[in-house]
Amino acid sequence: LLSNSLYHITLFTFFLALAHFLSEVFIYRTAALTIGVMAPLMVSSFSIMGMLIGLQYLEVEALSQNKKKN
C-alpha cells in the first residue's frame, strides 16, 4: 500500500513538472523553448510514459499478491 501511494505521488509530481514547464513556455511566455527548457520537458515526459507502463505492472503485481493471500 505504501509503495502504491509513493508511486502515485511520484507520477503526480512528473505531471506537475510537465504542466509547469509547458505553462511557462506556452501560456505565460516567460521562457523560450531552448535546451534549458526542453531538457525538463523531455525528462518529465519520458518519466511519465515509463511510470504509466510500470503502473500496469504494479497493478498486476497487487492482484497476484491478493490471490496469494486468499
Side-chain angles (χ1 to χ4, degrees):
L1 182 65
L2 179 61
S3 65
N4 252 357
S5 299
L6 185 59
Y7 200 91
H8 285 100
I9 290 170
T10 305
L11 182 58
F12 173 73
T13 59
F14 282 120
F15 274 115
L16 190 64
L18 181 64
H20 167 74
F21 283 102
L22 286 174
S23 69
E24 289 287 336
V25 173
F26 296 111
I27 296 173
Y28 301 113
R29 301 194 188 278
T30 54
L33 204 55
T34 62
I35 192 67
V37 175
M38 291 288 291
L41 285 173
M42 290 189 302
V43 168
S44 61
S45 298
F46 292 141
S47 298
I48 289 169
M49 286 190 302
M51 290 193 76
L52 288 175
I53 292 168
L55 186 61
Q56 293 175 349
Y57 171 76
L58 194 62
E59 290 172 352
V60 168
E61 186 70 23
L63 287 174
S64 68
Q65 290 292 332
N66 285 340
K67 285 182 181 179
K68 287 181 183 178
K69 288 180 182 177
N70 294 332

